[in-house]
Amino acid sequence: MHPAVPALPPALDLIGIAIFALTGALVAARLRQTFVTVAFFAVVTGVGGGTFRDLPIGAPVFWVHDHLVTPVCLIVALLAWFTPTRWWQGRVLEWADALGLAVYSVVGTIKALAWGVPIVPAVLMGVVTGCVGGIIRDVLAGQPSILMRPELYVTAGALAAVLAAGGLAAGLPWTLTWSVAVAGGFALRGIAIYWSLGLPTHRGER
């Protein structure tokens, strides 16, 4: 028996995956790669975080059992391939990615808790869900990973995950918990985007 896991409506779930997939496809497109590479980046970025979450917690890997996820990623790859990259400049995609980060950090945390993962590892699984796809994308593209930049990205995912775990531990309704956690993670990431905020870096030798 699989545990009952609060889930996004299927349409919203696919939209979120598509946003993540598009960020990966556009990185490959801007590097002037072949369509095969663009499609690979789209799929890896779209499903990477959820895959790295499902494997450790013992859950079926979500996209393997969903007949729509991979086609959506490939359609997004086609979109990135046939449209000029200048269409995707600006911060619209960055804001959409911020919302996806918050939502999937919460989704990952709640799913991990539902599968019996203790609260601290469950928070980590939430961060993994929201961030690992982007980390894989950056590493494959040979560009600085979000982990290696001071901007508030992983931190925003961690805040959303902590709020989700804390709300459920306190016995709050999962709908309220979900809303507050997503809003908190998105707000922090949004503040970082708008004001270009980041964490302080180590000063090295003193």
Side-chain angles (χ1 to χ4, degrees), residues 155-177:
T155 307
L159 175 63
V162 167
L163 290 174
L168 292 180
L172 299 178
W174 74 264
T175 50
L176 175 61
T177 297

Side-chain angles (χ1 to χ4, degrees), residues 116-186:
V117 177
I119 189 166
V120 174
V123 167
L124 179 58
M125 289 296 100
V127 175
V128 163
T129 306
C131 299
V132 162
I135 293 171
I136 297 173
R137 173 200 65 211
D138 293 341
V139 170
L140 291 176
Q143 62 186 25
S145 166
I146 51 177
L147 279 176
M148 303 301 291
R149 301 197 296 264
E151 62 185 88
L152 295 175
Y153 190 91
V154 177
T155 307
L159 175 63
V162 167
L163 290 174
L168 292 180
L172 299 178
W174 74 264
T175 50
L176 175 61
T177 297
W178 197 320
S179 300
V180 171
V182 168
F186 179 67

Side-chain angles (χ1 to χ4, degrees), residues 18-203:
I19 290 170
F20 279 149
L22 183 59
T23 66
L26 289 175
V27 167
R30 287 167 183 158
L31 293 173
R32 300 190 176 187
Q33 298 297 310
T34 67
F35 175 73
V36 171
T37 304
V38 171
F40 181 77
F41 268 63
V43 173
V44 167
T45 309
V47 307
T51 301
F52 272 77
R53 172 204 63 219
D54 288 344
L55 289 174
I57 70 175
V61 178
F62 76 103
W63 61 273
V64 175
H65 302 277
D66 190 320
H67 67 282
L68 291 177
V69 172
T70 305
V72 164
C73 292
L74 295 177
I75 290 170
V76 166
L78 286 170
L79 179 64
W81 179 258
F82 286 110
T83 56
T85 55
R86 67 175 182 275
W87 286 13
W88 306 102
Q89 293 175 351
R91 286 189 162 178
V92 174
L93 194 60
E94 192 172 12
W95 282 95
D97 179 74
L99 181 58
L101 168 68
V103 169
Y104 283 101
S105 295
V106 173
V107 168
T109 303
I110 292 176
K111 183 171 184 177
L113 288 170
W115 278 81
V117 177
I119 189 166
V120 174
V123 167
L124 179 58
M125 289 296 100
V127 175
V128 163
T129 306
C131 299
V132 162
I135 293 171
I136 297 173
R137 173 200 65 211
D138 293 341
V139 170
L140 291 176
Q143 62 186 25
S145 166
I146 51 177
L147 279 176
M148 303 301 291
R149 301 197 296 264
E151 62 185 88
L152 295 175
Y153 190 91
V154 177
T155 307
L159 175 63
V162 167
L163 290 174
L168 292 180
L172 299 178
W174 74 264
T175 50
L176 175 61
T177 297
W178 197 320
S179 300
V180 171
V182 168
F186 179 67
L188 181 58
R189 179 62 185 146
I191 289 170
I193 293 172
Y194 190 80
W195 280 290
S196 300
L197 298 180
L199 295 172
T201 58
H202 192 275
R203 292 180 291 173

